[in-house]
Amino acid sequence: MLFAVRMDVDIPRDLAPEVRADLVAREKAYCQKLQKSGEWAHIWRCVGQYANISVFDVADNEALHRILWGLPLFPYMRIEVTPLAQHPSGLAADGDVT
């Protein structure tokens, strides 16, 4: 199943710098591990914001829920999830993707 996920991050400004650095490093490692597995298919920065839009390719809702709750920055995020389905006007729908 494909999901588009928008993640807006709001780390408290008074968080200790070493705690912040550790969280950000663990977040990056977690994200890259999931990208290598293929579950985190795309990640795009939202320009000018501490936010991203990502595409996940996972087995089901529960798999996505597990991944999102495992994010080290999860407590500091606002997350919006949109399930995706193939559009009938897309080239892939006609089998005409090259």
Side-chain angles (χ1 to χ4, degrees), residues 5-11 46 49-53 73-80:
V5 179
R6 180 179 172 117
M7 298 176 226
D8 292 274
V9 182
D10 188 16
I11 300 173
C46 297
Q49 303 170 49
Y50 196 168
N52 75 75
I53 296 176
L73 288 174
F74 181 81
Y76 308 108
M77 289 183 174
R78 189 179 78 243
I79 297 175
E80 295 178 28

Side-chain angles (χ1 to χ4, degrees), residues 13-88:
R13 296 198 185 278
D14 61 350
L15 194 64
E18 63 276 1
V19 174
R20 178 188 173 97
D22 177 65
L23 278 170
V24 171
R26 288 190 296 120
E27 183 82 12
K28 182 176 181 176
Y30 185 74
C31 172
Q32 290 180 344
K33 175 184 169 201
L34 290 166
Q35 287 177 69
K36 289 175 184 171
S37 78
E39 291 175 294
W40 199 320
H42 297 276
I43 182 168
W44 300 94
R45 174 180 284 162
C46 297
V47 176
Q49 303 170 49
Y50 196 168
N52 75 75
I53 296 176
S54 294
V55 175
F56 289 85
D57 188 355
V58 294
D60 53 30
N61 294 337
E62 187 59 37
L64 179 63
H65 183 78
R66 175 186 46 78
I67 287 170
L68 296 177
W69 274 72
L71 292 165
L73 288 174
F74 181 81
Y76 308 108
M77 289 183 174
R78 189 179 78 243
I79 297 175
E80 295 178 28
V81 176
T82 304
L84 300 174
Q86 190 172 34
H87 194 285

